[in-house]
Amino acid sequence: MEETSREAVATAVQRVAGMLQRSDQLDKVEQYRRREARKKASVEARLKAAIQSQLDGVRTGLTQLHSALLDVKDIQSSLADVSKDWRQSINTIENLKDVKDAVVQHSQLAAAVENLKNIFSVPEIVGETQQLIEQAELLQAHRKLMELECSRDDLMYEQYRMDSRNTSDMHLISIYFEDVQGLSDELAKQLWMVLQRSMVTVRRDPTMLVSVVRIIEREEKIDRRMVDRKKQTGFIPPGRPKKWKDKMFEVLEGTVSTRIEGTQAVTREADKMWLVRLLEITRKYVLDDLIVVKNLMVQCFPPHYNTFNRFFRLYHNAVSMRVKELASEDLEANEIVSLLTWVLNTYKSVEMMGHPELCSECDIHQLEPLLPREVVDDLLSKYVKTFTSNITGWLRKALETDKKDWQKDTEPEADQDGYYQTTLPAIVFQMFEQNLQVAAQIDGDFKEKVLKLCLKQMNTFLLRYREEAVSYKEEHLRDRQLPQCYVQYMIAIINNCQTFKESINSLKRKYSQSSEPTDSDAAIERTLNEVAKEGCQFLLDEVFLDLESHLNELLTRKWLTGSHAVDTICVTVEDYFNDFNKIKKPFNQEMTSEALRRVVVEYIKAVMQKRITFKNPDERKEGAERMMKEADQFKFLFRKLAGEDTDWLCGAITAIAEVFKLTDPTLLFLEVSTLVSKYPDIREEHIQALLAVRGDASREMRQMIIGTLSENKVSHSGVTQSIFKDVAVTNQTKVPENQLMLS
């Protein structure tokens, strides 16, 4: 208390000090004093009121506790009186047992009297009810059935109340009313029959379906009442609860399942398109039935049944079970695609569950998948495996068919631009196209997977195609008279490579969303180029086999005296290239360039083989002029065939001729130097062979020319064209590897 007083004094001193910090505040001391006095009086008044309130509350509580004590004493006294009276009345209650039995008996007799009319008329009512059931008067039949069941149940209940252990009387009542249960079962059969035909009934006579639903609703109410009474008394009539409502939904579920299962009218043996037909029938049945449910059947059921959604789920579950059964069968590849396309696309489309008349009633996106993902993946894997096997067989068969065409005596067909071709690319890519169209119906990822598989199979197929082209050429070489149209079909094989490229690019643009090249793309491109290049080489081999004898005449004495070998070569090449014009670009251009190169190489080889040695200046001049003329012939021919510059290659022949034409041997070094500068890949043995053919170069001169050229050699690493590297020198001592080449 003292501490509190000290704190109060300290606080007051602090406040006074705060109020009187300045001299002008001393004038207001009286004003401050009055204000603090008012605050003190206010606090004391509130404190007094609070204490008074607490005292009043305590006084009231004590008064109430005193009253409660008096009440407890009164109750205790009353309980003692009740206990005394109860002990005195025990004997009286035992004496009233006979009265109790009489009351129960009276109640039973009253129930019997009340149901006496029905009891005596049970056989008659049973007959009438049976007749009404047979006449499909279901509501009236059910009303009479309820009367019979009510009479039976009331009698049994009263008997149960009197003596629940008296089973003999209960059995007697059950025997008397035994036909009632049969009527109930018979009526139930009629109800289930109507429900099983509900899709037909609701169109013809919806009132019949309404009657069935009303009967089931009545039975549900009776079931609930009997179950409640059982909770109170322990008694429930036989056959209760009937649970007809649950049975109704079971029947409807079975009806839906039966309609879905009954759509299969044919088998694979009878119709290859059996699955397509089955799925289409299922689609039509489900859509038609759900529209009927929405427009007609919903009105026949109470709103709380949520009829449309219930049927929607029933049909979904039934369809799901059916497609799972189908998925478990040994389906072929086309059947797998048909099933998956239907399941993944058609089912939720506007053609079926997403139909405009249905989508307003439910959300199809909340439906569970018809098939689990693992089942879909298994089917896709099975399809890919089957497709791989099938396409391998198809490609093998297509190639075998194409090979038979190669043996024909008639030329292959030409396309609209006049290029030879066979049907192989069209057949192959028609197969690919069909399978990709099918795969695209399933989903985009699977389409990409099938495309990659097609390209992989294509690469394997092209390797086989290349082998068959080589075999075709080797077979022809064994007898060049057969096949008669070898050249034309080899041209078609080359053109097919370009067609394959174009078709592959077309497929990728159409069915692939990725523009990134794959390993298969590079392999296919490489193989096609190799097949086309080898085909062109085979054709050139064919040309040069015919030219072999004429090429052997070049730079010989016969040639010098007036051979027509080059004329024949040009005519033969031009004749062949009339057919080669039917080769597609860029292969025809490459082939023409290669043909010119080979002709020039063979011509230079003839020089390097030293078939002739000029004996005098006149022969050298004549031979050189002939070489220049023939070089011009080659230029003219190949410029006509290719439309390209041929000067560099044909110029090699002219440059060699200039070496031969030179009349002053002292200038021979300059002429040879000019030749080397134009064609830096020329080697020492080539120079020696040229000088040997010229015939007037001494050993010392040859050594001087070779030595000087070697000392003054110029690097030509940047030169991309070459001609002499392909020309071998015969009848020459092989140059040691450490001997310097002019290039």
Side-chain angles (χ1 to χ4, degrees), residues 490-505:
M490 187 59 72
I491 292 173
I493 291 172
I494 297 170
N495 288 339
N496 285 349
C497 293
Q498 185 64 21
T499 306
F500 279 132
K501 286 184 180 181
E502 295 169 355
S503 300
I504 288 171
N505 291 333

mmCIF file with all atom_site columns, all heavy atoms in Angstrom, residues 490-505:
data_model
loop_
_atom_site.group_PDB
_atom_site.id
_atom_site.type_symbol
_atom_site.label_atom_id
_atom_site.label_alt_id
_atom_site.label_comp_id
_atom_site.label_asym_id
_atom_site.label_entity_id
_atom_site.label_seq_id
_atom_site.pdbx_PDB_ins_code
_atom_site.Cartn_x
_atom_site.Cartn_y
_atom_site.Cartn_z
_atom_site.occupancy
_atom_site.B_iso_or_equiv
_atom_site.pdbx_formal_charge
_atom_site.auth_seq_id
_atom_site.auth_comp_id
_atom_site.auth_asym_id
_atom_site.auth_atom_id
_atom_site.pdbx_PDB_model_num
ATOM 1   N N   . MET A 1 490 ? 16.908 -48.992 -116.082 1.00 0.00 ? 490 MET A N   1
ATOM 2   C CA  . MET A 1 490 ? 17.921 -48.412 -115.197 1.00 0.00 ? 490 MET A CA  1
ATOM 3   C C   . MET A 1 490 ? 17.684 -46.907 -115.058 1.00 0.00 ? 490 MET A C   1
ATOM 4   O O   . MET A 1 490 ? 17.864 -46.328 -113.974 1.00 0.00 ? 490 MET A O   1
ATOM 5   C CB  . MET A 1 490 ? 19.321 -48.691 -115.732 1.00 0.00 ? 490 MET A CB  1
ATOM 6   C CG  . MET A 1 490 ? 20.427 -48.261 -114.787 1.00 0.00 ? 490 MET A CG  1
ATOM 7   S SD  . MET A 1 490 ? 20.357 -49.056 -113.143 1.00 0.00 ? 490 MET A SD  1
ATOM 8   C CE  . MET A 1 490 ? 20.863 -50.728 -113.569 1.00 0.00 ? 490 MET A CE  1
ATOM 9   N N   . ILE A 1 491 ? 17.256 -46.278 -116.149 1.00 0.00 ? 491 ILE A N   1
ATOM 10  C CA  . ILE A 1 491 ? 16.879 -44.859 -116.072 1.00 0.00 ? 491 ILE A CA  1
ATOM 11  C C   . ILE A 1 491 ? 15.707 -44.684 -115.103 1.00 0.00 ? 491 ILE A C   1
ATOM 12  O O   . ILE A 1 491 ? 15.679 -43.752 -114.292 1.00 0.00 ? 491 ILE A O   1
ATOM 13  C CB  . ILE A 1 491 ? 16.517 -44.324 -117.476 1.00 0.00 ? 491 ILE A CB  1
ATOM 14  C CG1 . ILE A 1 491 ? 17.762 -44.265 -118.358 1.00 0.00 ? 491 ILE A CG1 1
ATOM 15  C CG2 . ILE A 1 491 ? 15.867 -42.941 -117.376 1.00 0.00 ? 491 ILE A CG2 1
ATOM 16  C CD1 . ILE A 1 491 ? 17.475 -43.906 -119.793 1.00 0.00 ? 491 ILE A CD1 1
ATOM 17  N N   . ALA A 1 492 ? 14.729 -45.577 -115.189 1.00 0.00 ? 492 ALA A N   1
ATOM 18  C CA  . ALA A 1 492 ? 13.575 -45.501 -114.286 1.00 0.00 ? 492 ALA A CA  1
ATOM 19  C C   . ALA A 1 492 ? 14.001 -45.666 -112.834 1.00 0.00 ? 492 ALA A C   1
ATOM 20  O O   . ALA A 1 492 ? 13.484 -44.992 -111.935 1.00 0.00 ? 492 ALA A O   1
ATOM 21  C CB  . ALA A 1 492 ? 12.549 -46.566 -114.663 1.00 0.00 ? 492 ALA A CB  1
ATOM 22  N N   . ILE A 1 493 ? 14.987 -46.552 -112.602 1.00 0.00 ? 493 ILE A N   1
ATOM 23  C CA  . ILE A 1 493 ? 15.489 -46.745 -111.239 1.00 0.00 ? 493 ILE A CA  1
ATOM 24  C C   . ILE A 1 493 ? 16.113 -45.448 -110.723 1.00 0.00 ? 493 ILE A C   1
ATOM 25  O O   . ILE A 1 493 ? 15.898 -45.036 -109.573 1.00 0.00 ? 493 ILE A O   1
ATOM 26  C CB  . ILE A 1 493 ? 16.508 -47.902 -111.206 1.00 0.00 ? 493 ILE A CB  1
ATOM 27  C CG1 . ILE A 1 493 ? 15.797 -49.237 -111.452 1.00 0.00 ? 493 ILE A CG1 1
ATOM 28  C CG2 . ILE A 1 493 ? 17.260 -47.928 -109.882 1.00 0.00 ? 493 ILE A CG2 1
ATOM 29  C CD1 . ILE A 1 493 ? 16.738 -50.416 -111.629 1.00 0.00 ? 493 ILE A CD1 1
ATOM 30  N N   . ILE A 1 494 ? 16.885 -44.784 -111.583 1.00 0.00 ? 494 ILE A N   1
ATOM 31  C CA  . ILE A 1 494 ? 17.498 -43.509 -111.184 1.00 0.00 ? 494 ILE A CA  1
ATOM 32  C C   . ILE A 1 494 ? 16.421 -42.471 -110.905 1.00 0.00 ? 494 ILE A C   1
ATOM 33  O O   . ILE A 1 494 ? 16.469 -41.746 -109.901 1.00 0.00 ? 494 ILE A O   1
ATOM 34  C CB  . ILE A 1 494 ? 18.448 -43.026 -112.290 1.00 0.00 ? 494 ILE A CB  1
ATOM 35  C CG1 . ILE A 1 494 ? 19.602 -44.020 -112.474 1.00 0.00 ? 494 ILE A CG1 1
ATOM 36  C CG2 . ILE A 1 494 ? 18.991 -41.634 -111.966 1.00 0.00 ? 494 ILE A CG2 1
ATOM 37  C CD1 . ILE A 1 494 ? 20.455 -43.766 -113.693 1.00 0.00 ? 494 ILE A CD1 1
ATOM 38  N N   . ASN A 1 495 ? 15.442 -42.372 -111.792 1.00 0.00 ? 495 ASN A N   1
ATOM 39  C CA  . ASN A 1 495 ? 14.367 -41.391 -111.603 1.00 0.00 ? 495 ASN A CA  1
ATOM 40  C C   . ASN A 1 495 ? 13.563 -41.674 -110.342 1.00 0.00 ? 495 ASN A C   1
ATOM 41  O O   . ASN A 1 495 ? 13.073 -40.746 -109.677 1.00 0.00 ? 495 ASN A O   1
ATOM 42  C CB  . ASN A 1 495 ? 13.442 -41.396 -112.821 1.00 0.00 ? 495 ASN A CB  1
ATOM 43  C CG  . ASN A 1 495 ? 14.092 -40.769 -114.039 1.00 0.00 ? 495 ASN A CG  1
ATOM 44  O OD1 . ASN A 1 495 ? 15.046 -40.008 -113.913 1.00 0.00 ? 495 ASN A OD1 1
ATOM 45  N ND2 . ASN A 1 495 ? 13.601 -41.094 -115.213 1.00 0.00 ? 495 ASN A ND2 1
ATOM 46  N N   . ASN A 1 496 ? 13.413 -42.952 -110.020 1.00 0.00 ? 496 ASN A N   1
ATOM 47  C CA  . ASN A 1 496 ? 12.679 -43.305 -108.802 1.00 0.00 ? 496 ASN A CA  1
ATOM 48  C C   . ASN A 1 496 ? 13.335 -42.701 -107.566 1.00 0.00 ? 496 ASN A C   1
ATOM 49  O O   . ASN A 1 496 ? 12.651 -42.343 -106.600 1.00 0.00 ? 496 ASN A O   1
ATOM 50  C CB  . ASN A 1 496 ? 12.601 -44.825 -108.652 1.00 0.00 ? 496 ASN A CB  1
ATOM 51  C CG  . ASN A 1 496 ? 11.604 -45.445 -109.608 1.00 0.00 ? 496 ASN A CG  1
ATOM 52  O OD1 . ASN A 1 496 ? 10.810 -44.747 -110.244 1.00 0.00 ? 496 ASN A OD1 1
ATOM 53  N ND2 . ASN A 1 496 ? 11.636 -46.762 -109.733 1.00 0.00 ? 496 ASN A ND2 1
ATOM 54  N N   . CYS A 1 497 ? 14.657 -42.581 -107.601 1.00 0.00 ? 497 CYS A N   1
ATOM 55  C CA  . CYS A 1 497 ? 15.361 -41.996 -106.450 1.00 0.00 ? 497 CYS A CA  1
ATOM 56  C C   . CYS A 1 497 ? 14.907 -40.560 -106.221 1.00 0.00 ? 497 CYS A C   1
ATOM 57  O O   . CYS A 1 497 ? 14.684 -40.140 -105.077 1.00 0.00 ? 497 CYS A O   1
ATOM 58  C CB  . CYS A 1 497 ? 16.868 -42.045 -106.676 1.00 0.00 ? 497 CYS A CB  1
ATOM 59  S SG  . CYS A 1 497 ? 17.542 -43.725 -106.705 1.00 0.00 ? 497 CYS A SG  1
ATOM 60  N N   . GLN A 1 498 ? 14.779 -39.803 -107.305 1.00 0.00 ? 498 GLN A N   1
ATOM 61  C CA  . GLN A 1 498 ? 14.309 -38.431 -107.165 1.00 0.00 ? 498 GLN A CA  1
ATOM 62  C C   . GLN A 1 498 ? 12.856 -38.396 -106.705 1.00 0.00 ? 498 GLN A C   1
ATOM 63  O O   . GLN A 1 498 ? 12.459 -37.566 -105.882 1.00 0.00 ? 498 GLN A O   1
ATOM 64  C CB  . GLN A 1 498 ? 14.459 -37.696 -108.501 1.00 0.00 ? 498 GLN A CB  1
ATOM 65  C CG  . GLN A 1 498 ? 14.118 -36.221 -108.443 1.00 0.00 ? 498 GLN A CG  1
ATOM 66  C CD  . GLN A 1 498 ? 15.053 -35.438 -107.532 1.00 0.00 ? 498 GLN A CD  1
ATOM 67  O OE1 . GLN A 1 498 ? 16.161 -35.881 -107.239 1.00 0.00 ? 498 GLN A OE1 1
ATOM 68  N NE2 . GLN A 1 498 ? 14.591 -34.293 -107.073 1.00 0.00 ? 498 GLN A NE2 1
ATOM 69  N N   . THR A 1 499 ? 12.053 -39.317 -107.237 1.00 0.00 ? 499 THR A N   1
ATOM 70  C CA  . THR A 1 499 ? 10.649 -39.398 -106.816 1.00 0.00 ? 499 THR A CA  1
ATOM 71  C C   . THR A 1 499 ? 10.549 -39.747 -105.340 1.00 0.00 ? 499 THR A C   1
ATOM 72  O O   . THR A 1 499 ? 9.715  -39.194 -104.611 1.00 0.00 ? 499 THR A O   1
ATOM 73  C CB  . THR A 1 499 ? 9.899  -40.440 -107.659 1.00 0.00 ? 499 THR A CB  1
ATOM 74  O OG1 . THR A 1 499 ? 10.067 -40.140 -109.042 1.00 0.00 ? 499 THR A OG1 1
ATOM 75  C CG2 . THR A 1 499 ? 8.420  -40.444 -107.323 1.00 0.00 ? 499 THR A CG2 1
ATOM 76  N N   . PHE A 1 500 ? 11.408 -40.677 -104.893 1.00 0.00 ? 500 PHE A N   1
ATOM 77  C CA  . PHE A 1 500 ? 11.426 -41.027 -103.479 1.00 0.00 ? 500 PHE A CA  1
ATOM 78  C C   . PHE A 1 500 ? 11.746 -39.796 -102.621 1.00 0.00 ? 500 PHE A C   1
ATOM 79  O O   . PHE A 1 500 ? 11.113 -39.559 -101.586 1.00 0.00 ? 500 PHE A O   1
ATOM 80  C CB  . PHE A 1 500 ? 12.463 -42.119 -103.215 1.00 0.00 ? 500 PHE A CB  1
ATOM 81  C CG  . PHE A 1 500 ? 11.984 -43.511 -103.533 1.00 0.00 ? 500 PHE A CG  1
ATOM 82  C CD1 . PHE A 1 500 ? 12.759 -44.383 -104.295 1.00 0.00 ? 500 PHE A CD1 1
ATOM 83  C CD2 . PHE A 1 500 ? 10.760 -43.960 -103.076 1.00 0.00 ? 500 PHE A CD2 1
ATOM 84  C CE1 . PHE A 1 500 ? 12.322 -45.663 -104.586 1.00 0.00 ? 500 PHE A CE1 1
ATOM 85  C CE2 . PHE A 1 500 ? 10.318 -45.248 -103.366 1.00 0.00 ? 500 PHE A CE2 1
ATOM 86  C CZ  . PHE A 1 500 ? 11.101 -46.094 -104.124 1.00 0.00 ? 500 PHE A CZ  1
ATOM 87  N N   . LYS A 1 501 ? 12.730 -39.019 -103.029 1.00 0.00 ? 501 LYS A N   1
ATOM 88  C CA  . LYS A 1 501 ? 13.088 -37.815 -102.270 1.00 0.00 ? 501 LYS A CA  1
ATOM 89  C C   . LYS A 1 501 ? 11.898 -36.866 -102.161 1.00 0.00 ? 501 LYS A C   1
ATOM 90  O O   . LYS A 1 501 ? 11.573 -36.361 -101.083 1.00 0.00 ? 501 LYS A O   1
ATOM 91  C CB  . LYS A 1 501 ? 14.249 -37.095 -102.965 1.00 0.00 ? 501 LYS A CB  1
ATOM 92  C CG  . LYS A 1 501 ? 15.600 -37.765 -102.823 1.00 0.00 ? 501 LYS A CG  1
ATOM 93  C CD  . LYS A 1 501 ? 16.679 -36.904 -103.464 1.00 0.00 ? 501 LYS A CD  1
ATOM 94  C CE  . LYS A 1 501 ? 18.045 -37.553 -103.345 1.00 0.00 ? 501 LYS A CE  1
ATOM 95  N NZ  . LYS A 1 501 ? 19.110 -36.720 -103.948 1.00 0.00 ? 501 LYS A NZ  1
ATOM 96  N N   . GLU A 1 502 ? 11.264 -36.606 -103.308 1.00 0.00 ? 502 GLU A N   1
ATOM 97  C CA  . GLU A 1 502 ? 10.141 -35.670 -103.325 1.00 0.00 ? 502 GLU A CA  1
ATOM 98  C C   . GLU A 1 502 ? 8.991  -36.187 -102.470 1.00 0.00 ? 502 GLU A C   1
ATOM 99  O O   . GLU A 1 502 ? 8.343  -35.422 -101.743 1.00 0.00 ? 502 GLU A O   1
ATOM 100 C CB  . GLU A 1 502 ? 9.678  -35.452 -104.766 1.00 0.00 ? 502 GLU A CB  1
ATOM 101 C CG  . GLU A 1 502 ? 10.732 -34.762 -105.636 1.00 0.00 ? 502 GLU A CG  1
ATOM 102 C CD  . GLU A 1 502 ? 10.373 -34.798 -107.115 1.00 0.00 ? 502 GLU A CD  1
ATOM 103 O OE1 . GLU A 1 502 ? 9.348  -35.443 -107.456 1.00 0.00 ? 502 GLU A OE1 1
ATOM 104 O OE2 . GLU A 1 502 ? 11.107 -34.192 -107.919 1.00 0.00 ? 502 GLU A OE2 1
ATOM 105 N N   . SER A 1 503 ? 8.743  -37.498 -102.545 1.00 0.00 ? 503 SER A N   1
ATOM 106 C CA  . SER A 1 503 ? 7.635  -38.081 -101.774 1.00 0.00 ? 503 SER A CA  1
ATOM 107 C C   . SER A 1 503 ? 7.908  -38.035 -100.278 1.00 0.00 ? 503 SER A C   1
ATOM 108 O O   . SER A 1 503 ? 7.011  -37.759 -99.476  1.00 0.00 ? 503 SER A O   1
ATOM 109 C CB  . SER A 1 503 ? 7.388  -39.527 -102.220 1.00 0.00 ? 503 SER A CB  1
ATOM 110 O OG  . SER A 1 503 ? 7.053  -39.590 -103.589 1.00 0.00 ? 503 SER A OG  1
ATOM 111 N N   . ILE A 1 504 ? 9.155  -38.291 -99.902  1.00 0.00 ? 504 ILE A N   1
ATOM 112 C CA  . ILE A 1 504 ? 9.512  -38.240 -98.479  1.00 0.00 ? 504 ILE A CA  1
ATOM 113 C C   . ILE A 1 504 ? 9.338  -36.822 -97.942  1.00 0.00 ? 504 ILE A C   1
ATOM 114 O O   . ILE A 1 504 ? 8.781  -36.612 -96.857  1.00 0.00 ? 504 ILE A O   1
ATOM 115 C CB  . ILE A 1 504 ? 10.962 -38.721 -98.283  1.00 0.00 ? 504 ILE A CB  1
ATOM 116 C CG1 . ILE A 1 504 ? 11.046 -40.240 -98.506  1.00 0.00 ? 504 ILE A CG1 1
ATOM 117 C CG2 . ILE A 1 504 ? 11.474 -38.366 -96.889  1.00 0.00 ? 504 ILE A CG2 1
ATOM 118 C CD1 . ILE A 1 504 ? 12.455 -40.779 -98.541  1.00 0.00 ? 504 ILE A CD1 1
ATOM 119 N N   . ASN A 1 505 ? 9.806  -35.843 -98.701  1.00 0.00 ? 505 ASN A N   1
ATOM 120 C CA  . ASN A 1 505 ? 9.639  -34.448 -98.276  1.00 0.00 ? 505 ASN A CA  1
ATOM 121 C C   . ASN A 1 505 ? 8.167  -34.080 -98.167  1.00 0.00 ? 505 ASN A C   1
ATOM 122 O O   . ASN A 1 505 ? 7.754  -33.351 -97.255  1.00 0.00 ? 505 ASN A O   1
ATOM 123 C CB  . ASN A 1 505 ? 10.349 -33.515 -99.251  1.00 0.00 ? 505 ASN A CB  1
ATOM 124 C CG  . ASN A 1 505 ? 11.861 -33.646 -99.176  1.00 0.00 ? 505 ASN A CG  1
ATOM 125 O OD1 . ASN A 1 505 ? 12.403 -34.010 -98.141  1.00 0.00 ? 505 ASN A OD1 1
ATOM 126 N ND2 . ASN A 1 505 ? 12.533 -33.368 -100.270 1.00 0.00 ? 505 ASN A ND2 1
#
